[in-house]
Amino acid sequence: MIKKVLTACAAAVVLASSIFSLTGCGEKKLCKVYEDYFKIGATMNFGNYVLYDDIVGEFNSMTCENEMKWNILQPTEGEFNYSLADQMVEYAQENGLGVRGHCIGWHHKDAVPSWVYEGTYDDAKARLLTHAKEVVTHFGDAVYAWDVWNEMLTDDWDNDDTNLYRVSTADDATNGSRWHELAGLARNQSAEDRQAANDKIEELIVDTFAAAREVAPEGTKLYYNEYFANNTYKVDKLIVMLEHLLAKGCEIDGVGIQAHYDITSFDPVMLEDMIVRINALGLDVQITEIDFSMYDYNADTDLRYTEFTQEMEELQASCYGKAFEIFRKHADKISCVTQWGVADDSSYLFNIPVKNRNDWPYIFDAQHEKKLAYDAIVDF
Ligand code: GLA
């Protein structure tokens, strides 16, 4: 009897491993090349993930582009809808990919329903903590890392380390935030008022991490996620914020560096410096949203390329190559590198920041063939 059970177990293991090798990180795949360094991720959405069966095996981590954001998971108070995310998680699991959860707290008006902010700071914070506990509980073991907060820092280019966070939407309609408004942040306020508001923002972050930690399965990693756009002051602000959070007992494991770059202004020195400085605080790093657009973010909106030239492809390959050289050098500090998309047939960059614009940001082309950027990453 025991022998029969053992034989059945052995058969199951053989079957499982052959299924895994069909779909998971096979020989010569990107994630296989990097298996001793860090996970290799891609971001997909509900509209495009079915397109990528042919190359999904290159990756061993997946982020849902929008399907785990607040407006999709809890559009109406108390009514959770996990159907899109659950289908994508199932697809990831069938293909041997772990899942990053993105994101619990954010200010973006398209991603957070306005009912969340009704009433006082305390009312909104209570809804946030409920949301955090619900979603982390729902996904449980299926998500190995969460972006607990996304993009809290100001974009101001100054070295004032009391000016850390966004301001109210009244002060800045584009970059302002309702969370920051409820916490009392405003332009031109007294040092005392700003300090009190900064404390409330940090309390919001610390308490969200605590709520997520309380219900997360053991081993789940919790991150703060942020973009930097070559603003070195913002890196200084990040470090000050992290020092405050750690002093306040924040249960944070690491920082997600979004890394939305472009081929004209990429600054590898700043990227490396950031990885080293985050790690010096005892925190892990994940590169959560890398891509290399053809356009500087602030480029004239009339600039619209119609063709991906050889020169662009070479420059892009050299950018990806340099970035991954840094990632390999600091592999002891980095646990995952995720491309914000899969292949050039589908990208948020076709509409952000300029509507209907061509771009070629990824390592696979629109036919899912490997670009020079792919070679630059694997040939080392
Ligand atoms: C940020 C967010 C992502 C995504 C991109 C697209 O980086 O973290 O979820 O929305 O912007 O612009």
Side-chain angles (χ1 to χ4, degrees):
M1 176 66 185
I2 290 177
K3 200 171 166 195
K4 251 190 183 168
V5 172
L6 285 177
T7 317
C9 288
V13 169
V14 171
L15 186 64
S17 60
S18 62
I19 289 171
F20 189 71
S21 67
L22 278 180
T23 53
C25 231
E27 289 302 325
K28 298 199 182 122
K29 301 274 176 72
L30 194 49
C31 52
K32 181 77 181 165
V33 172
Y34 277 92
E35 71 181 347
D36 294 334
Y37 292 86
F38 34 72
K39 282 189 166 55
I40 297 284
T43 299
M44 301 178 198
N45 62 49
F46 195 72
N48 72 14
Y49 78 98
V50 290
L51 303 174
Y52 295 124
D53 280 350
D54 52 348
I55 45 176
V56 68
E58 299 276 349
F59 304 97
N60 53 8
S61 176
M62 186 193 80
T63 305
C64 295
E65 183 166 0
N66 296 310
E67 293 70 11
M68 291 193 188
K69 289 175 181 167
W70 193 319
N71 59 324
I72 295 194
L73 292 186
Q74 193 190 178
T76 307
E77 186 153 21
E79 290 177 22
F80 288 82
N81 183 349
Y82 295 106
S83 66
L84 304 187
D86 282 351
Q87 288 174 68
M88 292 185 69
V89 167
E90 198 181 323
Y91 176 78
Q93 289 173 338
E94 281 166 0
N95 286 285
L97 281 68
V99 177
R100 290 196 86 254
H102 173 84
C103 52
I104 298 171
W106 199 17
H107 70 281
H108 201 290
K109 63 178 177 16
D110 296 341
V112 185
S114 54
W115 59 261
V116 173
Y117 307 106
E118 274 163 22
T120 62
Y121 165 90
D122 287 336
D123 296 334
K125 181 177 150 187
R127 292 186 194 107
L128 170 69
L129 301 188
T130 302
H131 183 78
K133 285 188 188 169
E134 284 281 343
V135 306
V136 174
T137 302
H138 173 82
F139 292 103
D141 276 338
V143 167
Y144 72 90
W146 277 102
D147 289 331
V148 176
W149 262 103
N150 197 26
E151 304 182 345
M152 291 298 259
L153 294 169
T154 178
D155 287 326
D156 290 352
W157 291 56
D158 66 40
N159 60 2
D160 173 359
D161 67 11
T162 71
N163 182 25
L164 294 176
Y165 301 112
R166 289 173 188 277
V167 283
S168 70
T169 50
D171 279 328
D172 184 340
T174 314
N175 299 308
S177 146
R178 301 278 300 275
W179 292 111
H180 297 62
E181 198 165 314
L182 287 169
L185 271 163
R187 291 237 183 261
N188 304 320
Q189 63 191 151
S190 70
E192 244 176 37
D193 286 351
R194 181 182 279 182
Q195 183 55 50
N198 282 351
D199 282 342
K200 286 212 147 179
I201 285 291
E202 287 163 11
E203 173 193 300
L204 198 62
I205 301 175
V206 170
D207 290 356
T208 317
F209 274 86
R213 181 68 79 207
E214 195 184 315
V215 296
E218 213 182 319
T220 309
K221 302 288 182 204
L222 305 180
Y223 292 81
Y224 172 79
N225 196 46
E226 186 61 84
Y227 67 92
F228 295 91
N230 294 348
N231 178 345
T232 50
Y233 288 121
K234 196 165 175 180
V235 184
D236 296 339
K237 290 175 193 290
L238 170 81
I239 299 299
V240 174
M241 178 193 79
L242 292 171
E243 285 167 352
H244 291 181
L245 296 181
L246 290 168
K248 291 178 178 180
C250 187
E251 299 181 65
I252 178 174
D253 293 301
V255 173
I257 298 174
Q258 291 189 6
H260 293 294
Y261 289 122
D262 68 79
I263 60 170
T264 65
S265 72
F266 173 48
D267 180 348
V269 175
M270 181 183 154
L271 173 62
E272 181 166 17
D273 173 63
M274 195 157 34
I275 293 167
V276 171
R277 290 175 71 190
I278 292 167
N279 177 258
L281 296 173
L283 297 171
D284 181 49
V285 173
Q286 294 200 339
I287 307 300
T288 51
E289 309 189 15
I290 195 167
D291 48 38
F292 280 95
S293 168
M294 297 304 108
Y295 310 89
D296 185 306
Y297 194 82
N298 297 312
D300 187 336
T301 54
D302 287 339
L303 178 64
R304 287 160 177 268
Y305 299 118
T306 52
E307 157 188 33
F308 184 54
T309 64
Q310 179 73 18
E311 194 186 349
M312 287 173 179
E313 177 154 18
E314 283 168 9
L315 188 51
Q316 183 183 50
S318 108
C319 290
Y320 268 108
K322 273 185 209 148
F324 272 74
E325 197 181 325
I326 293 170
F327 301 153
R328 286 191 301 275
K329 178 172 165 196
H330 296 288
D332 59 327
K333 308 172 181 67
I334 298 175
S335 55
C336 183
V337 176
T338 296
Q339 178 178 254
W340 194 254
V342 184
D344 287 347
D345 53 340
S346 175
S347 177
Y348 76 101
L349 285 165
F350 299 163
N351 285 303
I352 298 175
V354 177
K355 281 238 168 282
N356 292 322
R357 187 166 71 173
N358 292 324
D359 210 341
W360 299 266
Y362 306 126
I363 58 174
F364 292 100
D365 72 13
Q367 285 71 45
H368 305 181
E369 297 299 329
K370 296 166 183 170
K371 291 164 65 180
L372 292 181
Y374 183 101
D375 301 338
I377 291 175
V378 298
D379 295 339
F380 57 88

